[in-house]
Each structure stands twice: as C-alpha cells, then as structure tokens.
Amino acid sequence: MKHIPRKRFGQHFLSDQGIIDAIVRAIAPEPGQPMVEIGPGLAALTQPLVERLGRLTVVELDRDLAARLRQHGQLDVIESDVLKVDFAQVAQALNASKIRVVGNLPYNISTPILFHLLAHVRVIADQHFMLQKEVIDRMVAAPATSAYGRLSVMLQWRYAMENVLFVPPESFDPPPRVDSAVVRMVPHEAPEALSMSVLEELVQVAFSQRRKLLRHTLGRWLEARQFAGTFDTQRRAEEVPVSEYVALAQECS
C-alpha cells in the first residue's frame, strides 16, 4: 500500500538515486559502526546504509512507517518524536561510547532537533543531515554576513561544519518549495568549557534586535549581571565572531 506523505510531519521523501548515492558516499558508513537515522521515511537512505553497516537504529514518529520498518530484520526501530529521544541512552543501548547520526530532518522542526542533539553532543561522533539550504547557510555563516546569527554561533562553538552537497527540489516526492543541502557536523574534540545555557541566553539577547548596536541589548544584559570585564558593545551582533561570544560566555558562566 502506497504511503501518502503527511504534511503535519513535514514528509518529503528522497527519490533521486544519484543524490542518495552521493549522500551515502559523504557519510561513508563502515561495517559495525553504531549509527542512528532520524526520519527514515520510506527507507531510501536507510537501505543502502544498513547494507554497509549490517545493522541500523532508526527513529520514526509516523506509526505506519514505523510498522513497515519493523519488518526489516536489520533495523532497530524507535517509534518516537526525536525531541524526546535520549541519545545518551541510545548510545548505551548500542554499547557505544559515541554514535553517528544521520537523517533527512523535517524542515518544520529542524532547528529544535539540532539544539536537542547539541545537548547530547558528548556521545556523538559525527552528524550528516539533509536540511533546507537556507538553514545550512545560517549554520556555516561567517560573521558580518546576513546569514550569521544565533544558530551560527551556537553550532560553530561545538562543531566543525561543512556544506557537502546541494539537493534540488525535484530529488523529492513530493518536491518541497525550497532548495535543500547536506551538512557534515563533526564535534570539536576540545571545545571551550562554558555553561551552554549562558551562551544560549547571551546569543539570544545579542541577536534579538540585530540592527541595533549591542549596547541596547547585550550591554544592558551585561549590566544586569554586573559584568566587570571588557566587551565592545559599539558593534552589531553580526559583527562579533564566535570566539568572542564564547569567551564572554566563559566569563559570565
């Protein structure tokens, strides 16, 4: 029975075999590696991955698709909203210190998923995700560009990231109304120690009014915290590099 894509789950199924092959090459799965796929859908990427890995864990919210996937003898299916999945527990269940994570993320909740995984980054070896190209542009953006923002700072603090593949709308069924891309995310081995919640709050305040100078936003936030250090607030949020936001968060943690 043909599965009808569900809008509420943001379902767009990858159907271009050439793109699928290119994604698998980018991921480069090796036999026995502990890997988790988010949103396997109709298994277009799942099948070539599991053929190389031998076994694969998948997270699927759609109960009809989860039922189909359970019929595959080499898949371990977690039927759940990915935002409720404890990836540290998944790693433990796989008897792995670190897991690889891949997936075609639902575009409507891709940012919450990225932040959820950020909280579990200690058990993640690497991540390969298909996302809306505009989101990936923001993830990898450099300072002083219009795409640079909260997502850029939070993720670049913790990951080395690379846009590895462009994916046009016609690669999907049904085609989305946006361009897509694949990003590789490798956690930094020795990230700066800080309070993630402080960095998140600091960056959110800084970019809350990105056209204004930081003295109107972050400056007041620092004053309220009785910050005694030095930080140039005569700039706009997008002019401050990740390293400076990280250093400031360390001082405030």
Side-chain angles (χ1 to χ4, degrees):
M1 184 177 173
K2 182 175 170 62
H3 180 83
I4 306 298
R6 293 177 176 170
K7 282 188 178 180
R8 68 191 175 103
F9 292 154
Q11 290 178 341
H12 295 276
F13 299 116
L14 194 58
S15 55
D16 184 320
Q17 193 57 53
I19 292 291
I20 292 166
D21 292 343
I23 294 171
V24 173
R25 285 196 300 273
I27 296 170
E30 296 288 341
Q33 286 181 331
M35 187 176 290
V36 179
E37 183 185 6
I38 297 169
L42 296 176
L45 189 59
T46 310
Q47 188 56 38
L49 286 175
V50 79
E51 286 172 5
R52 290 158 178 76
L53 294 164
R55 193 150 199 92
L56 175 65
T57 298
V58 297
V59 179
E60 179 56 63
L61 176 60
D62 187 314
R63 65 184 179 187
D64 294 339
L65 291 175
R68 284 191 188 197
L69 293 160
R70 284 195 190 92
Q71 296 171 17
H72 195 302
Q74 295 168 283
L75 299 180
D76 297 310
V77 182
I78 300 172
E79 186 180 335
S80 173
D81 177 346
V82 67
L83 297 177
K84 296 178 180 176
V85 174
D86 184 330
F87 283 86
Q89 287 185 358
V90 173
Q92 192 172 20
L94 292 171
N95 196 28
S97 58
K98 291 185 183 291
I99 56 177
R100 305 188 71 192
V101 185
V102 302
N104 174 13
L105 300 190
Y107 293 173
N108 54 345
I109 57 163
S110 59
T111 299
I113 292 173
L114 291 169
F115 277 95
H116 179 66
L117 286 161
L118 181 58
H120 294 90
V121 69
R122 286 181 179 82
V123 298
I124 292 173
D126 63 9
Q127 299 173 166
H128 289 80
F129 294 133
M130 177 141 36
L131 295 160
Q132 189 172 336
K133 180 181 177 294
E134 181 185 323
V135 174
I136 293 179
D137 289 344
R138 285 163 46 208
M139 291 165 68
V140 303
T145 63
S146 59
Y148 183 72
R150 173 174 167 255
L151 196 62
S152 322
V153 176
M154 292 302 300
L155 295 181
Q156 289 178 33
W157 155 60
R158 206 56 184 83
Y159 302 94
M161 294 182 292
E162 179 187 0
N163 183 342
V164 294
L165 183 68
F166 173 75
V167 185
E170 55 268 26
S171 303
F172 299 87
D173 182 23
R177 295 179 180 178
V178 295
D179 289 331
S180 305
V182 176
V183 66
R184 177 182 292 122
M185 308 173 68
V186 181
H188 294 304
E189 286 187 15
E192 296 84 346
L194 52 76
S195 164
M196 181 175 150
S197 61
V198 169
L199 179 64
E200 195 164 8
E201 184 181 344
L202 183 158
V203 173
Q204 191 166 7
V205 170
F207 284 94
S208 62
Q209 300 179 65
R210 61 184 298 146
R211 292 184 182 278
K212 290 189 174 182
L213 294 178
L214 284 171
R215 61 187 170 85
H216 298 292
T217 53
L218 190 56
R220 290 173 181 170
W221 185 85
L222 290 170
E223 284 175 16
R225 294 180 75 96
Q226 298 181 321
F227 176 68
T230 57
F231 184 82
D232 180 8
T233 58
Q234 292 300 114
R235 298 174 287 178
R236 291 182 174 84
E238 66 187 38
E239 297 176 300
V240 181
V242 174
S243 59
E244 285 195 44
Y245 281 120
V246 168
L248 184 59
Q250 286 179 300
E251 287 188 70
C252 294
S253 295

